[in-house]
Amino acid sequence: MEPEEDIPFVKRPKSERGWMRIAKKRLPILDWGPRYDRITAVADLVAGITLGLTLVPQSIAYASLANLPVQYGLYSSFVGTMLYVFLGTVKEVSIGPTSLMALFTLQVCRGLPVEFVVLLTFLSGCIVLIMGLLRLGFLVELISPSVTSGFTSATAVIIVVAQLKGLLGLSFTAESVSDNIRNIINKWDNLRYADCALGAVCCTVLLLLRQLKDVKVNPKRTKLKRALWLLSIGRNALVVLAASTLAYCIHNPEKPLFKLSGRVEPGLPALSAPPFSVALDNSTVQFVDMVQQLGSAIVMLPIVMVLANIAIAKAFCTGGRVDATQEMVTLGLCNMAGSLVHAMPTCGAFTRSAVSHSSGVRTPAAGAYSGIITLLALIFLTQYFYYIPKACLSSVLICAVIFMIDYRTVVRLWRRDRQELAVLVLTFCVSVARTVELAVLCGALASLAVLLRRLMRPRLQINHVKSSAGEVVRVRAALGVTYVNCALVEARALAAARRAAPRPALLDCGQLAMLDYAGQQALERLIKQLKDSDQKLIIYNVPVDLLKKFEQVSGVDARPLRATNINSALALADAPSEERAALLAEQV
């Protein structure tokens, strides 16, 4: 969407400036809707159709990944895109099924009726909505980039291994990466060569088509460049269409050459309330029991959902500024509304958002067009979805997620921060060995442990520095002096000061960010011990927001606190009273 031109300020009625501003913030369509014109509509139509051609085959593939009937992927793909038109703040974001949500759904609801999936969607939406209303977006910040990289890469590996059975034409149920590998080895003799060949061809074509948009073309040949770009963007739809056509033409009901997706429920989903009870094993499972079976995923899934959605919104938002509250409210409502049409959990997808961006999307209205394409597919094309080969869907999934493996972050962390690399590896291993939600929890706790360790073992720079008063010892504290590290800071600073006795010791607080009550007590003890040895502790270069805390320290010489260098601090500490006022004035 093009930026607005600067216009003269016009005083509006107080009521309009108040409620209208809030309405536009919480219903963004009121902001961009009045400026919607024909050119913008055409641009959004092109972007929406392109997005729809990506969304439909992806939704089918993600439903297959979640071990759900194909139609549930399509049920999940139109409500979010359409609702985001009215509530969304970032024009590129596309709410719908994703590989991460499908994998979560598979791990949580494996072997359970589809009603559990729908209830998980509804409860996740409720929690995300509550998080938005309570402005709890800061909780997502507890998950470090290392954790995000770890579970994203692990998700890609898990999906690739899980989809190998589709490429090979095998059928089995597995709950982990090791189970999948073991079953593939045990069932190797049952390999279906036709499915293997189709999967290999589909993967090759998908990867080649992906590269078309990067082919260098003479700038004057704009039509050719546009055609190559369209082929690249629509590669999933083209491959699924070609494979399905082939399967349809050579289909033999008695002995099908390829393993097919099977019958798909035709028509639009029935509108109904989320299931709060379900019949299971000749008994009725009530709401409380359903929640107990879903377990911690009810909390972890919304957190990962918000994390993924806000990360995508930040990537495409102009200036990187995102209204996190509005995005969470929107995401929550999209999932709550989706549960009314039997949708699986949804959030923003980076690949679809990138497609929208490269298609020249102007406003969130593009989501309406892609949603209409999904509805048309549900109404008119479900009978043909029967012929989609499973090897083709596996190829679509594998070629979509292999590029999520974030090896670049591993290389950078190896060079820069081995502790964060350990967090990434831990998250990755727990994801692969156990579940993604447990990995996110373990990764977040590990990140906090790394941060706490750095606070507990701060680096103190101790230097002997030449000054106007001769050589002095300078101790430079970093991060903070708090209850977790004050004893260590006190002991090291005291040892350094005594080695320099009887010369004064200077504490440089320029890099300090925290000082709590325990830290104040440690400084008081340090000042007293040095005073008993006829030695001075001069504290200087204190940040403005910590000045009051340092002035409250008993026995501290408050005059040098604002000094920015050693000579100024020494001058303020030693100057006669008539000179101090002038020196302090200079510092201020």
Side-chain angles (χ1 to χ4, degrees), residues 25 34 57 70 72 116 170 211 215 230 235 342 345 349 368 375 407 425 513 522 561:
K25 188 174 183 180
V70 166
Y72 283 92
F116 282 84
L170 300 176
Q211 299 301 318
V215 173
L230 285 172
R235 60 186 179 275
H342 308 168
L375 290 174
Y407 64 89
V425 172
L561 293 180

Side-chain angles (χ1 to χ4, degrees), residues 2 42 51 100 130 173 201 212 215 226 276 321 348 483 532:
E2 296 295 329
V42 171
L51 177 62
L100 184 59
I130 292 171
T173 301
V201 171
L212 281 183
V215 173
R226 186 71 176 176
F276 296 110
R321 295 184 298 275
Y483 73 96
D532 291 343

Side-chain angles (χ1 to χ4, degrees), residues 178-483:
S178 58
D179 284 346
N180 273 288
I181 295 173
R182 190 182 306 112
N183 278 293
I184 288 173
I185 294 172
N186 293 337
K187 294 179 178 289
W188 190 259
D189 294 337
N190 299 329
L191 215 67
R192 293 172 61 98
Y193 294 103
D195 288 283
C196 292
L198 180 64
V201 171
C202 288
C203 285
T204 302
V205 173
L206 284 167
L207 294 175
L208 290 175
L209 289 176
R210 188 178 190 272
Q211 299 301 318
L212 281 183
K213 66 180 186 301
D214 300 322
V215 173
K216 293 183 179 179
V217 179
N218 190 323
K220 295 180 180 179
R221 306 185 67 179
T222 54
K223 290 185 178 179
L224 176 60
K225 186 171 180 62
R226 186 71 176 176
L228 292 176
W229 176 83
L230 285 172
L231 284 172
S232 179
I233 293 299
R235 60 186 179 275
N236 289 338
L238 290 173
V239 168
V240 170
L241 177 61
S244 303
T245 303
L246 174 64
Y248 176 78
C249 292
I250 64 174
H251 181 60
N252 180 357
E254 295 181 359
K255 192 176 181 182
L257 184 62
F258 306 121
K259 298 194 72 173
L260 303 178
S261 295
R263 184 179 181 277
V264 178
E265 191 71 29
L268 298 176
L271 193 66
S272 61
F276 296 110
S277 63
V278 61
L280 182 64
D281 296 332
N282 298 323
S283 63
T284 301
V285 180
Q286 299 300 329
F287 174 72
V288 175
D289 297 322
M290 293 177 74
V291 171
Q292 287 178 344
Q293 283 196 273
L294 293 174
S296 61
I298 294 175
V299 177
M300 294 306 301
L301 180 59
I303 291 176
V304 175
M305 191 183 286
V306 170
L307 174 68
N309 210 69
I310 292 181
I312 292 167
K314 284 183 177 179
F316 290 98
C317 184
T318 304
R321 295 184 298 275
V322 175
D323 186 346
T325 296
Q326 180 64 17
E327 283 297 308
M328 286 192 288
V329 169
T330 302
L331 184 60
L333 291 174
C334 285
N335 278 276
M336 292 173 68
S339 68
L340 302 179
V341 293
H342 308 168
M344 59 190 282
T346 58
C347 68
F350 190 86
T351 51
R352 294 198 299 270
S353 299
V355 167
S356 293
H357 179 73
S358 59
S359 302
V361 66
R362 296 286 189 91
T363 72
Y369 303 119
S370 61
I372 290 171
I373 289 177
T374 305
L375 290 174
L376 292 174
L378 274 168
I379 296 170
F380 299 110
L381 300 179
T382 47
Q383 59 181 319
Y384 302 108
F385 292 158
Y386 174 92
Y387 297 98
I388 300 177
K390 289 187 175 181
C392 178
L393 292 179
S394 295
S395 302
V396 170
L397 281 171
I398 290 172
C399 292
V401 303
I402 55 174
F403 299 99
M404 292 168 52
I405 300 176
D406 190 8
Y407 64 89
R408 292 186 181 87
T409 298
V410 173
V411 174
R412 285 195 294 268
L413 289 178
W414 176 263
R415 295 171 180 168
R416 302 179 187 179
D417 194 333
R418 302 286 175 86
Q419 290 182 343
E420 283 297 321
L421 178 60
V423 172
L424 187 154
V425 172
L426 172 67
T427 307
F428 180 90
C429 293
V430 174
S431 295
V432 172
R434 299 296 297 275
T435 61
V436 175
E437 63 266 27
L438 180 61
V440 173
L441 179 60
C442 291
L445 292 176
S447 291
L448 291 175
V450 168
L451 178 61
L452 184 60
R453 184 182 183 279
R454 287 172 177 167
L455 280 173
M456 294 178 68
R457 295 291 183 269
R459 292 183 179 179
L460 292 183
Q461 296 180 10
I462 301 173
N463 308 103
H464 291 272
V465 182
K466 291 182 180 180
S467 69
S468 57
E471 189 177 82
V472 294
V473 65
R474 179 188 65 191
V475 179
R476 180 173 287 162
L479 296 178
V481 181
T482 64
Y483 73 96

